């Protein structure tokens, strides 16, 4: 049987019952989908739910507790044993639930950032998720795409793919459409095939899908690929380490409590169960898990703000960002380009109209030009031919499919009365696509008479040195120094008005000229200049100001002319009076060290290529900055990877940059970066809040027991009570803190240092002081009650238990502010209010509901008890509310 690469395109079409001119019908698609399944590589099996559930109990101390409980049960303490079991079980369920939630939101993330493919079905191009592709689908490939399936190439415009993922060969392979007759070719020699998972490094093309999912070359080796493991974020790692220390501390303290207790004459067995319960309660084993939950909840909030986090660790790093290097075009600006001015034969022509709307006129002074200006019409026609985009009408509005810069040229052509059919008598023989390195694009056309022309358009300063002639009324003339100066003046004038400039030129080619790209774009005839406006996005100016206030510097990076960049930067209030604008050519001459020395003063990088971005990232990082860098094209990927927070564009970005990035902007908008940073800071602050809450609670729990045995008193809390406190207060209120709103000043202070430890900025002090006070007031409540009723230990224990719980539930509001509890409206966080109320209700049930009293060792309390309890419980929080420390 012949292989795909040996067949002609027609044979492939026949075999797959599809034509390139029509695509599959939706019926064929659904049939094939049910027959062959999704175009996905099968990933590793998921862990079964029951294992995740069991894993909640694998913690060492929990196992010890369970064993101790078992012993208690065997010794006849059934009630205690069962109560402890139930509490441990509920605790496990909460852990399970949290883990599931985190898992689900990560799944959702994966779906959101899943790759898409351009597919031609029922004679229409559409975008579908790559996994929906079936055999026979016609797909289009663009630079930067991941090839979505195995395909037979049917059209190649300088298409090159990089197949190292498959073959290990990192040099790009040129692709073409012709069949190959040899029969024993390896993947790397099948140059008319594209393989799933490889990358389009240049050009574009069209192909027919011949293999999907596991039936691709990549699918065959998929089983060899390493599985993706969840990597813990820096904070999760820090907390895991801290957790280990805390376990040791908690166990040591517990042993101290047990030993002291035994010396004081408490029965060993009692002390043992109390000790183990205490250890279980005091060890913040759930901390890393709650952090993961908080991170993933934050990720969901970011999605609502149109930012998709691809790596959980980015959430943390975002809060540390100190520099944002952002593309100008499309990220800070609307990317709705409109040609406003044309320079031709020494004349400046004004173009009216807005956006991509095709209504508009051409004016010289006040005089309207219609079709009485042959050179203008020619220039616009050339702009339409040397073009890679398409005008479409959607909901009565013109939109551009493709590069907006090209789209603007189409719109201008429409304004003079050219139609999409104009120039149909010429054939495009070859295209050299635009890229940001070359800053130009060319096509070779052939007309009816077999004459060939090259049309090149691109950045004027790139094109002008390649021009030897300039068009004039009679035809063309030599480009003299004087003409050059006039043109350069025109460029400057346009750029000063914040217009993006593009020059267009042509060259007649004799038949025998080689079409080798290297020799084509020279000896050109300059035709004219386009000046197009790309208005800044409305919200960007405010976002830049907000970032500045938050100690984050915004840097603009663009391939545009220096003057254009400067004008827009001024507009956006991004460039201070003493700020520097650096040009790509200047960057070339500088070493990274030289750049480092001045980079703090640079706000705009103009006429740069993607390679420069890497240098910029390195220089900022060398100055100790945490750098966020945006990018869309393939060549941006290295800089994005090297930056601390790589940001890619959801709409205009390529698959490759998206894969390299840790954050995707669904709307390509700079302002979204600001929102994401704000959210990143907020999430980190919330994590600090519940670390503080949990640890202070634990300190209080341990200390009350320690103080009691030190003073030779009976135990103020029984094991079930300790476990109950741990369950209720560690559960809902802690999670609600994770959902807290930011303090008013999150974006009013500088970024935090990524090296900052868990207890930085006074958190350790807060935990210890609050913890000690919570322990003391609980002990006082116990002592007062017990001394008045020495015969009724349960009474004293109930009061101690209630005081501890209330002190924690009041303290939770303190945790919301780094300054003082009085700074914030306690009812602002509705989840927290709900969590506290439900915790109080649970407390009341345990105290007042008779069937539970013997289980929790409680009795009903009176009004006077409550006054004592609330008065004492409020002290830790209120006291520190005044000291603001
Ligand atoms: P940016 O950072 O603004 O996206 P680019 O690298 O895309 O910069 O563009 C740099 C310059 O290349 C532009 O100022 C323009 O002169 C020229 N240019 C941009 N797009 C095209 C295109 N599609 N065809 C030809 N030239 C272009
Ligand atoms: Mg661009």
């Amino acid at each position: 049987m012949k292989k795909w690469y040996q067949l002609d395109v027609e044979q492939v079409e026949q075999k797959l019952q599809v034509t390139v001119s029509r695509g599959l019908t939706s019926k064929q698609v659904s049939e094939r989908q049910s027959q062959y399944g999704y175009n996905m590589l099968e990933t590793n099996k998921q862990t079964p739910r029951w294992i995740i559930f069991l894993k909640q109990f694998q913690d060492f101390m929990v196992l010890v507790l369970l064993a101790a409980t078992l012993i208690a049960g065997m010794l006849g303490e059934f009630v205690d044993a069962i109560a402890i079991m139930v509490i441990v079980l509920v605790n496990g369920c909460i852990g399970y639930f949290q883990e599931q939630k985190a898992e689900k939101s990560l799944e959702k993330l994966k779906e959101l950032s899943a790759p898409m493919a351009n597919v031609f079905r029922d004679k229409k191009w559409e975008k579908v998720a790559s996994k929906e592709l079936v055999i026979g689908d016609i797909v289009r490939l663009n630079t930067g795409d991941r090839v979505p399936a195995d395909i037979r190439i049917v059209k190649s415009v300088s298409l090159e793919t990089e197949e190292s993922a498959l073959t290990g060969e990192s040099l790009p392979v040129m692709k073409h459409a012709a069949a190959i007759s040899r029969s024993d070719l390896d993947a790397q020699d099948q140059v008319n095939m594209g393989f799933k998972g490889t990358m389009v490094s240049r050009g574009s093309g069209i192909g027919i899908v011949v293999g999907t999912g596991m039936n691709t070359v990549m699918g065959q080796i998929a089983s060899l690929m390493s599985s993706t493991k969840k990597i813990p974020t820096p904070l999760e790692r820090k907390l895991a380490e801290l957790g280990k220390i805390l376990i040791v501390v908690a166990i040591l303290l517990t042993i101290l409590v047990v030993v002291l207790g035994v010396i004081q004459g408490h029965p060993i067995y009692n002390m043992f169960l109390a000790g183990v319960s205490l250890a279980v309660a005091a060890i913040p084993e759930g901390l890393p898990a709650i952090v993961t939950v908080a991170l993933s909840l934050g990720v969901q909030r970011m999605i609502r703000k149109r930012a998709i986090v691809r790596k959980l660790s980015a959430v943390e790093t975002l809060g540390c960002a100190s520099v944002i290097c952002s593309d100008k075009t499309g990220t800070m600006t609307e990317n709705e380009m409109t040609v406003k001015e044309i320079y031709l034969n020494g004349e400046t022509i004004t173009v009216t109209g807005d956006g991509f709307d095709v209504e508009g006129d051409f004016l010289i002074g006040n005089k309207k030009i219609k079709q009485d200006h042959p050179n203008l019409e020619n220039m616009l026609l050339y702009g339409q031919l040397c073009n890679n985009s398409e005008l479409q009408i959607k909901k009565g509005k013109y939109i551009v499919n493709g590069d907006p810069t090209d789209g603007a040229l189409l719109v201008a052509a429409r304004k003079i009365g050219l139609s999409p059919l104009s120039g149909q008598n010429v054939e495009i023989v070859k295209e050299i696509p635009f890229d940001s390195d070359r800053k130009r694009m060319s096509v070779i056309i052939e007309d009816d008479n077999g004459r060939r022309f090259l049309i090149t358009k691109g950045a004027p300063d790139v094109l002008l040195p390649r021009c030897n002639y300039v068009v004039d009324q009679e035809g063309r003339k030599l480009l003299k120094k004087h003409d050059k100066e006039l043109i350069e003046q025109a460029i400057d004038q346009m750029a000063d008005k914040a217009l993006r400039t593009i020059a267009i030129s042509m060259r007649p080619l004799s038949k025998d000229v080689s079409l080798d790209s290297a020799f084509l774009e020279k000896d050109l005839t300059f035709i004219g200049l386009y000046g197009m406006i790309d208005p800044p996005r409305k919200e960007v100016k405010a976002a830049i100001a907000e970032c500045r206030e938050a100690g984050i510097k915004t840097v603009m990076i663009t391939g545009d002319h220096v003057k254009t960049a400067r004008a827009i930067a001024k507009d956006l209030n991004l460039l201070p009076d003493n700020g520097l604008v650096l040009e790509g050519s200047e960057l070339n001459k500088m070493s990274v060290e030289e750049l480092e020395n001045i980079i703090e003063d640079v706000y705009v990088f103009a006429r740069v290529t993607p390679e420069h971005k890497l240098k910029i990232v390195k220089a900022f990082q060398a100055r100790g900055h945490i750098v966020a860098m945006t990018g869309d094209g393939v060549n941006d990927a290295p800089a994005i990877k090297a930056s601390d927070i790589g940001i890619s564009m959801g709409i205009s970005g390529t698959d490759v940059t998206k894969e390299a990035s840790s954050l995707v902007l669904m709307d390509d908008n700079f302002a979204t970066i600001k929102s994401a940073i704000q959210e990143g800071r907020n999430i980190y602050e919330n994590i600090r809040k519940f670390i503080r809450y949990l640890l202070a609670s634990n300190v209080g729990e341990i200390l009350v027991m320690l103080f009691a045995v030190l003073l030779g008193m009976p135990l103020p809390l029984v094991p079930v009570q300790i476990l109950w406190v741990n369950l209720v207060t560690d559960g809902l209120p802690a999670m609600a803190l994770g959902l807290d709103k930011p303090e008013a000043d999150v974006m009013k202070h500088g970024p935090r240092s990524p090296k900052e430890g868990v207890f930085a900025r006074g958190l350790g002090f807060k935990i210890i002081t609050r913890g000690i006070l919570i322990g003391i007031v609980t002990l006082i409540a116990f002592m007062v009650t017990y001394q008045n009723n020495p015969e009724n230990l349960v009474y004293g224990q109930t009061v101690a238990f209630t005081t501890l719980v209330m002190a924690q539930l009041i303290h939770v509001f303190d945790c919301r502010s780094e300054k003082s509890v009085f700074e914030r409206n306690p009812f602002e966080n509705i989840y927290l209010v709900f969590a506290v109320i439900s915790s109080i209700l649970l407390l009341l049930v345990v105290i007042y509901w008779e069937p539970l009293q013997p289980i929790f060792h409680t009795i009903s309390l009176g009004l006077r008890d409550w006054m004592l309890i609330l008065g004492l419980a409020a002290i830790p929080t209120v006291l520190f509310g005044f000291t603001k420390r």
Side-chain angles (χ1 to χ4, degrees):
M1 203 184 76
K2 283 197 168 178
K3 306 265 177 44
W4 291 113
Y5 63 84
Q6 294 176 294
L7 301 177
D8 285 335
V9 173
E10 291 76 39
Q11 291 170 312
V12 177
E13 284 181 320
Q14 228 165 43
K15 217 168 158 183
L16 296 175
Q17 293 166 12
V18 64
T19 58
V20 174
S21 55
R22 174 167 216 301
L24 292 173
T25 63
S26 44
K27 188 154 155 276
Q28 279 176 310
V29 172
S30 56
E31 276 169 13
R32 291 180 191 198
Q33 245 162 24
S34 51
Q35 191 179 343
Y36 299 109
Y38 282 129
N39 173 31
M40 277 191 310
L41 300 182
E42 270 144 45
T43 45
N44 304 16
K45 289 245 157 30
Q46 276 192 329
T47 323
R49 279 156 183 266
W50 62 271
I51 291 190
I52 298 178
F53 183 71
L54 279 189
K55 263 173 51 188
Q56 309 300 324
F57 304 97
Q58 71 178 9
D59 191 74
F60 174 68
M61 282 320 289
V62 172
L63 290 179
V64 174
L65 179 65
L66 286 177
T69 318
L70 213 64
I71 297 170
M74 287 191 300
L75 291 176
E77 302 270 350
F78 292 122
V79 181
D80 274 0
I82 289 172
I84 291 175
M85 292 284 190
V86 169
I87 289 183
V88 170
L89 201 68
V90 173
N91 211 348
C93 289
I94 291 178
Y96 171 77
F97 165 75
Q98 287 179 335
E99 199 158 307
Q100 285 290 336
K101 196 167 165 82
E103 193 85 358
K104 276 221 190 78
S105 64
L106 290 180
E107 278 296 311
K108 200 170 136 202
L109 261 188
K110 255 198 218 143
E111 247 164 58
L112 270 175
S113 53
M116 307 287 282
N118 270 314
V119 57
F120 194 65
R121 289 174 179 167
D122 284 325
K123 290 190 169 176
K124 276 198 301 278
W125 283 106
E126 49 185 318
K127 261 200 154 159
V128 302
S130 294
K131 70 170 192 192
E132 310 272 344
L133 289 182
V134 294
I135 289 180
D137 261 330
I138 312 298
V139 294
R140 181 163 58 200
L141 299 174
N142 289 315
T143 315
D145 285 352
R146 280 268 168 218
V147 178
D150 280 3
I151 60 174
R152 170 72 168 79
I153 309 286
V154 302
K155 185 182 168 205
S156 156
V157 180
S158 311
L159 183 67
E160 286 177 17
T161 62
E162 198 265 325
E163 302 181 339
S164 60
L166 213 55
T167 59
E169 172 58 60
S170 60
L171 279 180
V173 186
M174 260 316 261
K175 297 286 171 174
H176 58 75
I180 308 169
S181 53
R182 293 223 0 224
S183 62
D184 51 355
L185 293 182
D186 286 336
Q188 62 251 49
D189 298 320
Q190 301 177 16
V191 292
N192 55 14
M193 296 282 292
F195 300 104
K196 183 179 175 69
T198 60
M199 178 190 113
V200 182
S201 50
R202 213 171 109 94
S204 60
I206 292 177
I208 305 180
V209 174
V210 296
T212 58
M214 293 307 278
N215 292 321
T216 55
V217 179
M218 189 62 101
Q220 284 154 21
I221 59 168
S223 49
L224 305 174
M225 290 192 317
S226 62
S227 61
T228 46
K229 237 178 99 188
K230 186 187 169 295
I231 315 157
T233 72
L235 181 63
E236 283 173 322
R237 253 190 320 234
K238 265 186 224 161
L239 282 176
E241 266 160 40
L242 175 70
K244 278 184 206 138
I245 300 170
L246 288 180
I247 287 178
V248 176
V249 174
I251 290 179
L252 286 180
L253 282 174
T254 308
I255 292 174
L256 187 66
V257 171
V258 173
V259 170
L260 283 174
V262 173
I263 293 172
Q264 301 279 7
H266 294 286
I268 292 186
Y269 155 75
N270 265 357
M271 281 317 297
F272 181 63
L273 199 57
V276 177
S277 307
L278 193 56
V280 167
I283 293 168
E285 77 289 337
L287 208 48
I290 306 188
V291 169
T292 312
V293 173
L295 288 175
S296 57
L297 284 177
V299 163
Q300 285 179 357
R301 265 178 312 203
M302 286 201 195
I303 292 175
R304 260 174 261 141
K305 293 185 175 155
R306 318 200 60 75
I308 301 175
V309 175
R310 292 190 65 254
K311 297 184 190 120
L312 215 48
S313 54
V315 179
E316 282 169 36
T317 327
L318 267 170
C320 304
S322 58
V323 173
I324 310 173
C325 298
S326 169
D327 286 336
K328 170 182 77 69
T329 311
T331 310
M332 293 187 168
T333 64
E334 297 270 10
N335 226 1
E336 207 177 77
M337 313 259 178
T338 317
V339 175
K340 286 282 172 190
E341 272 182 20
I342 285 176
Y343 173 84
L344 178 65
N345 299 140
E347 280 176 322
T348 299
I349 303 170
T350 313
V351 189
T352 63
D354 288 314
F356 293 134
D357 189 15
V358 300
E359 297 299 316
D361 294 309
F362 297 85
L363 309 171
I364 295 182
N366 287 329
K367 203 178 125 248
K368 222 185 253 183
I369 327 172
K370 266 294 160 203
Q371 267 125 337
D372 50 357
H373 201 303
N375 274 349
L376 178 61
E377 202 177 320
N378 261 339
M379 170 171 170
L380 293 172
L381 178 61
Y382 284 161
Q384 174 162 321
L385 288 172
C386 183
N387 205 298
N388 223 330
S389 69
E390 225 175 45
L391 264 189
Q392 290 177 339
I393 299 183
K394 221 177 205 164
K395 293 188 194 128
K397 221 185 137 212
Y398 280 91
I399 59 156
V400 166
N401 190 356
D403 188 337
T405 308
D406 283 349
L409 304 190
L410 291 185
V411 170
R414 237 25 89 74
K415 285 178 181 168
I416 199 113
L418 292 172
S419 84
L421 300 177
S422 314
Q424 276 228 326
N425 52 336
V426 302
E427 193 197 338
I428 299 199
V429 186
K430 183 183 165 99
E431 178 184 323
I432 312 173
F434 172 81
D435 72 44
S436 293
D437 286 325
R438 293 174 5 97
K439 296 204 181 358
R440 59 185 188 272
M441 156 180 185
S442 295
V443 292
I444 295 168
I445 56 171
E446 187 174 307
D447 69 9
D448 298 350
N449 308 324
R451 288 181 304 183
R452 284 185 172 178
F453 299 94
L454 171 82
I455 308 174
T456 304
K457 72 177 204 303
D461 37 327
V462 173
L463 237 54
L464 210 47
R466 295 167 181 272
C467 293
N468 290 336
Y469 306 93
V470 56
V471 285
D472 65 3
Q473 267 80 2
E474 283 82 52
R476 68 176 197 186
K477 59 177 187 188
L478 271 178
L479 182 71
K480 299 237 179 63
K481 194 159 165 258
H482 173 68
D483 304 305
K484 241 187 182 157
E485 277 165 11
L486 278 181
I487 294 171
E488 271 158 8
Q489 221 176 339
I491 298 170
D492 278 357
Q493 274 169 11
M494 283 184 180
D496 278 337
K497 291 181 212 157
L499 296 180
R500 181 175 170 91
T501 50
I502 288 201
I504 190 156
S505 61
M506 58 89 77
R507 176 185 173 196
L509 296 176
S510 54
K511 262 272 163 155
D512 50 337
V513 167
S514 133
L515 295 192
D516 189 340
S517 334
F519 308 107
L520 280 171
E521 294 162 326
K522 58 174 195 193
D523 204 19
L524 303 169
T525 304
F526 183 88
I527 304 175
L529 290 173
Y530 292 93
M532 49 184 77
I533 192 147
D534 180 19
R537 294 174 184 266
K538 287 185 292 302
E539 53 286 350
V540 169
K541 192 170 175 176
I544 291 174
E546 239 178 287
C547 284
R548 184 175 310 123
E549 204 176 1
I552 305 163
K553 175 177 175 181
T554 308
V555 175
M556 174 191 279
I557 297 187
T558 178
D560 262 349
H561 197 282
V562 195
K563 294 199 165 179
T564 313
R566 183 192 290 273
I568 292 189
K570 279 277 175 210
D571 239 24
L572 288 171
N573 213 354
L574 177 148
L575 182 66
D577 292 332
N578 54 357
L580 296 181
V581 179
L582 266 197
E583 221 176 326
S585 52
E586 299 172 271
L587 269 178
N588 284 337
K589 290 182 223 137
M590 270 181 216
S591 66
V592 177
E593 291 75 39
E594 282 171 306
L595 180 59
E596 247 181 82
N597 290 334
I598 55 161
I599 200 156
E600 299 280 6
D601 296 323
V602 183
Y603 289 79
V604 177
F605 290 93
R607 274 288 186 256
V608 291
T609 60
E611 283 78 83
H612 291 128
K613 284 186 168 180
L614 192 60
K615 207 167 173 182
I616 296 171
V617 169
K618 292 244 166 84
F620 271 122
Q621 283 174 335
R623 301 286 310 209
H625 280 291
I626 301 298
V627 187
M629 168 64 88
T630 72
D632 46 14
V634 204
N635 305 342
D636 290 334
I640 285 190
K641 252 192 211 141
S643 67
D644 302 279
I645 305 152
I647 303 174
S648 63
M649 303 297 141
I651 303 170
S652 65
T654 53
D655 293 347
V656 177
T657 27
K658 281 185 201 164
E659 283 164 26
S661 69
S662 43
L663 189 76
V664 184
L665 308 179
M666 279 153 98
D667 54 2
D668 291 12
N669 191 339
F670 176 84
T672 305
I673 305 177
K674 187 225 80 194
S675 309
I677 289 180
Q678 187 169 2
E679 198 56 61
R681 287 187 174 194
N682 185 23
I683 292 170
Y684 190 83
E685 290 309 309
N686 284 351
I687 290 174
R688 272 171 66 90
K689 288 174 193 170
F690 62 67
I691 289 179
R692 171 177 167 191
Y693 173 66
L694 288 182
L695 294 188
S697 300
N698 291 352
V699 169
E701 286 156 27
I702 292 187
L703 287 187
V704 68
M705 298 293 270
L706 185 63
F707 292 155
V709 286
L710 277 177
L711 296 176
M713 297 198 307
L715 293 183
L717 299 167
V718 297
V720 247
Q721 289 171 344
I722 297 174
L723 292 172
W724 188 95
V725 172
N726 184 47
L727 176 72
V728 173
T729 58
D730 282 13
L732 289 178
M735 283 215 264
L737 278 180
L739 294 169
D740 206 16
K741 291 210 175 64
E743 286 192 79
D745 64 351
V746 257
M747 291 298 269
K748 299 239 161 30
H749 55 72
R752 80 168 196 278
S753 154
K755 297 199 198 82
E756 162 180 315
V758 179
F759 296 126
R761 285 183 277 143
L763 203 73
F765 175 80
K766 288 196 164 87
I767 290 170
I768 299 286
T769 48
R770 272 62 163 184
I772 291 176
L773 268 195
I774 291 175
I776 290 177
V777 294
T778 307
L779 191 73
I780 293 175
F782 176 66
M783 270 165 42
V784 171
T785 317
Y786 178 66
Q787 250 141 34
N788 292 334
N789 311 273
E791 75 299 337
N792 195 347
L793 179 58
V794 175
Y795 183 21
Q797 286 173 331
T798 308
V799 170
F801 169 60
T802 312
T803 310
L804 179 65
V805 173
M806 289 312 298
Q808 294 187 358
L809 291 181
I810 295 172
H811 173 236
V812 75
F813 291 98
D814 190 17
C815 298
R816 294 185 59 223
S817 171
E818 302 265 338
K819 286 172 236 77
S820 158
V821 64
F822 303 124
E823 295 272 320
R824 306 203 65 180
N825 170 4
F827 302 107
E828 191 183 23
N829 182 345
I830 187 76
Y831 306 104
L832 186 61
V833 173
F834 176 77
V836 168
I837 290 178
S838 50
S839 299
I840 292 176
L841 288 179
L842 284 173
L843 175 68
L844 295 181
V845 169
V846 172
I847 300 175
Y848 290 100
W849 196 33
E850 271 165 32
L852 287 184
Q853 287 179 341
I855 299 175
F856 286 95
H857 302 253
T858 49
I859 58 167
S860 303
L861 298 175
L863 187 61
R864 290 182 61 124
D865 302 320
W866 276 102
M867 281 163 56
L868 173 77
I869 290 167
L870 292 179
L872 283 168
I875 288 176
T877 299
V878 174
L879 196 66
F880 285 106
F882 289 118
T883 67
K884 300 201 175 184
R885 288 218 51 208

